[in-house]
C-alpha cells in the first residue's frame, strides 16, 4: 500500500545501481558516455583508456598509448571520437573500435588535466599544469590558440553549449570566463578559498558551476556575473560536477567517497549515494539523463539509473521567453577580479538562491532525501523534451493559457479585411473588425527604435534597463511557479489522504475461520 500511495502521489524513485565495470588497475579519474548509449569511456591512473560496451556479449576495449596516468576523457557526440589527456603532456584522439587507432596532439608543456569537445564537435579544449587553456581544431587536428591568464595549474575547462564562451578553473583559486571569438578573458570569479578542481556550464549556457578543495560548490550567472548559489557540499574536496540535461539537478563527486545529487530548483541536497569504497573522481550524465556514471579510487566504474527524473514530465511547464538581447549578449568589458557576494546577488530564474537574504546553503547533516519530497515544477526557456522515449512532448502551459485567453468571445477579432487595408498597414496602421460587427478601430504601430541612432551612453543605459526588466519578469515567473508548486503539493496530499480514507480498516476486516472436522 505504501508503494501504491507513493505512485499515487507522484513521489520520485531513488537512484539504483545498474552495472559495475572492473578492468582498470588503478583509480578511475574520468568517465564519459557515448552519445549513442552503446558505450561508456573511462580513464585511469593506470595509463589506459577503457571503452565499455553495454551489450554483455561484447568485450571491453583497452587502449594503451599514453606513457603516464590518464587524467581526463571526453566523447565527441558528432564525430564519434574519444579524447584523452595524460600526465605524459599529450592529448590523444581515439576511434572507439577494436583497432584503437589514435593520433597524438602535443602543445602542452605540463600534465594535461582536462579535455572537452564543443557541442558541434569542431573544437577541442584542453587545460594543464602549464597554466594555459588551449583550443584545437578537431577535423584538422591542429592547434588553434591559447587562453593565458591563470597563475597556477588549470584543472578543468569546457565550452558553453553554443561554443561562444569557455570556462576554466585553476589552482590559483579563480574561475575564468573566456570569449572564444576575441580570445580574451571577460570575467574572473575569485570567491573560492581553495583550488578549483572542476567547472561545468549549465545546459542552457546561462550559468557556470565550480567546485574544489574548499569542499564547496558555487553556481554563477554569466549574464549578471552574480553568485546565485553556494553549497557547503562535502566533507572533503569536490573532485567533479555534472549537470543533468534538464538543468534542474547537479551531480558531484568527492574525496569523502560519496556522490551527491543537488536539486537546483529547491536549492538543497536531494540524494547522498554510497557506492564506491574509496574517493570518487569522475561523474557524467547520459545524454538523455536517465543514467549517470561514476568512477573512483576502488578501480570501478559504476552505472546508475537516475529514476528521480521520471516524474519530471508531470511537472507544470511554463515557457519563460528571455529577452533576446539579454540571452545572447555576454560581457565584453575588461577583466574584473572579484564578484559581488551572495548577499547582493540577483536571483536567477532558472536556478534560485539557495538561501534568501544571502549566505550559503549547506545540506542538513543526516539528510539524504525527504521521504515526502516532490519533484518541483519546471521552468523551460525552450521546448522541454522528456527523458523517456515513450513519453509525449509536453506543451508549455503558458501557451495553452494564452490560447484559452485569446479564444474568448470578447477577444476574438476578425481580420478578414486586412487585405483591404494594405495601404494602412504600410503606413504603420491596420484595421480589424470586431466579431459583433460593432465597428472598427485603428491600431498604430510605431516604427522600431534604432539604437544605433542614439548616443552610445543612452543606448547602453536602455539595454541595461531592458535587461533588468527581463530579470524582474522572469523572477515574477519564478514566484508564480513557487505558488504552483505549493498548490500541486497540496493537491497531491489531498489525493493521498483520500486514498487512505478509501482503504478498509484493519479492525473491520474479518479474518477467515478454520473449521476442523
Amino acid at each position: 500500500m505504501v508503494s501504491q500511495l507513493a505512485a499515487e502521489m507522484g513521489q520520485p524513485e531513488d537512484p539504483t545501481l545498474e552495472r559495475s565495470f572492473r578492468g582498470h588497475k588503478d583509480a578511475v579519474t574520468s568517465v564519459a558516455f557515448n552519445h549513442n548509449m552503446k558505450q561508456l569511456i573511462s580513464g585511469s591512473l593506470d595509463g589506459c583508456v577503457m571503452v565499455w560496451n553495454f551489450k554483455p556479449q561484447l568485450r571491453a576495449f583497452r587502449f594503451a598509448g599514453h606513457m603516464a596516468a590518464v587524467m581526463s576523457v571526453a566523447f565527441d557526440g558528432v564525430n564519434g571520437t574519444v579524447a584523452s589527456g595524460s600526465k605524459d603532456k599529450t592529448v590523444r584522439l581515439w576511434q572507439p573500435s577494436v583497432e584503437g587507432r589514435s593520433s597524438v596532439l602535443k602543445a602542452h608543456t605540463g600534465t594535461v588535466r582536462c579535455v572537452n569537445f564543443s557541442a558541434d564537435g569542431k573544437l577541442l579544449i584542453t587545460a594543464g599544469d602549464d597554466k594555459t587553456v588551449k583550443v584545437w581544431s578537431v577535423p584538422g587536428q591542429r592547434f588553434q590558440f591559447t587562453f593565458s591568464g591563470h597563475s597556477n595549474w588549470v584543472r578543468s575547462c569546457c565550452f558553453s553549449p553554443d561554443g561562444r564562451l569557455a570556462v576554466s578553473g585553476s589552482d590559483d583559486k579563480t574561475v575564468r570566463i573566456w570569449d572564444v571569438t576575441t580570445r580574451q578573458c571577460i570575467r574572473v570569479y575569485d570567491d573560492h578559498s581553495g583550488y578549483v578542481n572542476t567547472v561545468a556550464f549549465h545546459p542552457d549556457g546561462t550559468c557556470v558551476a565550480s567546485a574544489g578543495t574548499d569542499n564547496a560548490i558555487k553556481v554563477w550567472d554569466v549574464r549578471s556575473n552574480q553568485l546565485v548559489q553556494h553549497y557547503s557540499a562535502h566533507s572533503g574536496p569536490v573532485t567533479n560536477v555534472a549537470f543533468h540535461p534538464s538543468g534542474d539537478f547537479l551531480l558531484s563527486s568527492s574525496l569523502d567517497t560519496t556522490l551527491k545529487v543537488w536539486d537546483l530548483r529547491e536549492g538543497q541536497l536531494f540524494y547522498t549515494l554510497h557506492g564506491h569504497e574509496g574517493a570518487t573522481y569522475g561523474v557524467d550524465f547520459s545524454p538523455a539523463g536517465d543514467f549517470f556514471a561514476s568512477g573512483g579510487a576502488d578501480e570501478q566504474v559504476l552505472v546508475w539509473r537516475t529514476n528521480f527524473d521520471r516524474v519530471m514530465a508531470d511537472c507544470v511547464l511554463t515557457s519563460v521567453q528571455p529577452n533576446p538581447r539579454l540571452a545572447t549578449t555576454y560581457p565584453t568589458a575588461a577583466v574584473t577580479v572579484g564578484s559581488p557576494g551572495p548577499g547582493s546577488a540577483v536571483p536567477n530564474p532558472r536556478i534560485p538562491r539557495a538561501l534568501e537574504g544571502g549566505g550559503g546553503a549547506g545540506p542538513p547533516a543526516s539528510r539524504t532525501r525527504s521521504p515526502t519530497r516532490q519533484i518541483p515544477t519546471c521552468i523551460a526557456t525552450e521546448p522541454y523534451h522528456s527523458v523517456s522515449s515513450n513519453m509525449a512532448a509536453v506543451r508549455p502551459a503558458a501557451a495553452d493559457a494564452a490560447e484559452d485567453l485569446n479564444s474568448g468571445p470578447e477577444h476574438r477579432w476578425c481580420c478578414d479585411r486586412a487585405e483591404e487595408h494594405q495601404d494602412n498597414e504600410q503606413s504603420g496602421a491596420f484595421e480589424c473588425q470586431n466579431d459583433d460587427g460593432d465597428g472598427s478601430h485603428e491600431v498604430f504601430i510605431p516604427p522600431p527604435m534604432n539604437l544605433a541612432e542614439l548616443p552610445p551612453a543612452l543606448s547602453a543605459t536602455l539595454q541595461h534597463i531592458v535587461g533588468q526588466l527581463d530579470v524582474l519578469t522572469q523572477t515574477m515567473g519564478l514566484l508564480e511557479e513557487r505558488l504552483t508548486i505549493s498548490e500541486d503539493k497540496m493537491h497531491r496530499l489531498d489525493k493521498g489522504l483520500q486514498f487512505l480514507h478509501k482503504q478498509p480498516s484493519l479492525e473491520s476486516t474479518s479474518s477467515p475461520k478454520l473449521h476442523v472436522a
Side-chain angles (χ1 to χ4, degrees):
M1 186 176 73
V2 175
S3 60
Q4 185 178 357
L5 177 59
E8 181 75 16
M9 298 182 65
Q11 188 174 354
E13 299 181 30
D14 296 338
T16 55
L17 181 61
E18 290 291 305
R19 296 188 65 178
S20 63
F21 296 103
R22 296 177 181 268
H24 283 294
K25 300 177 181 179
D26 207 333
V28 179
T29 57
S30 181
V31 292
F33 278 95
N34 187 326
H35 284 214
N36 61 17
M37 283 304 295
K38 295 181 179 179
Q39 295 171 323
L40 179 67
I41 298 93
S42 63
S44 169
L45 295 181
D46 62 8
C48 294
V49 175
M50 296 288 292
V51 179
W52 311 94
N53 291 289
F54 287 128
K55 290 185 177 180
Q57 61 270 27
L58 297 179
R59 65 181 180 87
F61 305 145
R62 182 188 297 271
F63 298 155
H66 286 291
M67 305 303 294
V70 176
M71 306 305 297
S72 177
V73 294
F75 186 83
D76 175 14
V78 178
N79 304 308
T81 304
V82 174
S84 60
S86 170
K87 280 190 173 182
D88 63 7
K89 308 176 184 179
T90 67
V91 176
R92 284 182 177 264
L93 299 180
W94 310 81
Q95 294 302 319
S97 60
V98 178
E99 293 81 6
R101 298 175 182 175
S102 67
S103 54
V104 183
L105 306 179
K106 295 182 179 180
H108 284 283
T109 58
T111 297
V112 181
R113 298 277 176 182
C114 185
V115 294
N116 264 310
F117 288 97
S118 60
D120 59 9
K122 295 181 180 179
L123 296 176
L124 175 72
I125 188 170
T126 61
D129 289 358
D130 55 5
K131 309 176 187 178
T132 66
V133 178
K134 299 184 183 296
V135 177
W136 312 74
S137 170
V138 176
Q141 298 185 4
R142 294 182 179 180
F143 169 74
Q144 294 293 305
F145 54 87
T146 298
F147 293 132
S148 299
H150 284 292
S151 59
N152 208 332
W153 295 355
V154 186
R155 292 186 178 269
S156 184
C157 61
C158 68
F159 287 108
S160 62
D162 60 9
R164 293 169 48 207
L165 298 179
V167 61
S168 60
S170 167
D171 281 5
D172 62 10
K173 305 179 184 180
T174 66
V175 175
R176 290 178 179 261
I177 306 295
W178 309 87
D179 188 312
V180 176
T181 303
T182 63
R183 306 177 185 180
Q184 299 296 318
C185 178
I186 58 176
R187 188 67 182 176
V188 179
Y189 305 126
D190 64 348
D191 278 27
H192 278 285
S193 59
Y195 301 157
V196 180
N197 287 332
T198 177
V199 293
F201 258 103
H202 190 276
D204 67 7
T206 61
C207 296
V208 168
S210 61
T213 59
D214 56 4
N215 307 349
I217 298 175
K218 299 179 184 291
V219 182
W220 317 83
D221 189 324
V222 298
R223 300 168 300 178
S224 62
N225 293 317
Q226 301 288 343
L227 175 64
V228 293
Q229 280 193 344
H230 168 87
Y231 300 97
S232 298
H234 289 267
S235 60
V238 183
T239 55
N240 207 347
V241 295
F243 280 101
H244 188 275
S246 69
D248 293 327
F249 303 99
L250 184 73
L251 176 64
S252 63
S253 60
S254 170
L255 295 185
D256 65 7
T257 75
T258 66
L259 303 173
K260 293 190 178 184
V261 180
W262 304 89
D263 185 345
L264 301 179
R265 298 303 310 279
E266 295 289 345
Q268 61 186 6
L269 179 65
F270 198 36
Y271 289 101
T272 296
L273 304 176
H274 301 269
H276 289 277
E277 298 175 358
T280 54
Y281 295 116
V283 290
D284 188 35
F285 274 106
S286 65
D290 48 353
F291 292 93
F292 62 91
S294 60
D298 56 3
E299 306 175 6
Q300 290 189 91
V301 177
L302 303 183
V303 180
W304 309 75
R305 184 179 293 275
T306 306
N307 290 334
F308 56 78
D309 60 353
R310 290 185 178 180
V311 297
M312 291 178 63
D314 297 331
C315 297
V316 179
L317 300 179
T318 304
S319 178
V320 179
Q321 299 297 335
N323 187 305
R325 278 173 286 185
L326 181 64
T328 59
T329 302
Y330 295 95
T332 57
V335 176
T336 304
V337 179
S339 61
S344 59
V346 177
N348 187 326
R350 286 283 300 174
I351 303 180
R353 293 286 307 279
L355 282 181
E356 297 181 1
S366 60
R367 182 182 182 276
T368 56
R369 182 177 67 85
S370 174
T372 59
R373 188 186 181 284
Q374 304 297 321
I375 294 291
T377 301
C378 306
I379 295 179
T381 56
E382 56 187 30
Y384 180 84
H385 300 283
S386 171
V387 297
S388 300
S389 59
N390 60 348
M391 201 168 291
V394 183
R395 186 180 183 186
D400 293 335
E403 182 176 345
D404 293 339
L405 181 63
N406 294 330
S407 63
E410 66 276 11
H411 293 281
R412 292 197 301 266
W413 300 94
C414 178
C415 296
D416 295 336
R417 297 177 57 194
E419 296 180 358
E420 301 176 7
H421 300 279
Q422 293 181 357
D423 295 336
N424 289 340
E425 292 181 1
Q426 294 175 357
S427 62
F430 64 88
E431 184 177 359
C432 292
Q433 180 77 26
N434 194 325
D435 270 334
D436 300 329
D438 297 335
S440 61
H441 67 281
E442 286 188 344
V443 179
F444 292 91
I445 305 176
M449 180 182 296
N450 187 359
L451 296 180
E453 298 177 356
L454 299 176
L458 178 58
S459 175
T461 301
L462 290 176
Q463 289 183 356
H464 177 72
I465 292 174
V466 170
Q468 294 301 315
L469 289 175
D470 183 78
V471 171
L472 290 175
T473 301
Q474 296 190 43
T475 303
M476 292 300 296
L478 177 62
L479 294 177
E480 293 177 0
E481 287 299 315
R482 292 293 182 183
L483 292 176
T484 304
I485 293 173
S486 299
E487 293 173 357
D488 182 65
K489 288 182 178 179
M490 293 298 295
H491 177 67
R492 292 181 184 275
L493 181 59
D494 183 63
K495 290 178 63 178
L497 293 176
Q498 292 179 5
F499 176 81
L500 290 176
H501 286 310
K502 292 179 182 179
Q503 299 302 311
S505 175
L506 294 177
E507 297 179 357
S508 61
T509 304
S510 59
S511 57
K513 297 181 180 180
L514 179 63
H515 297 276
V516 180

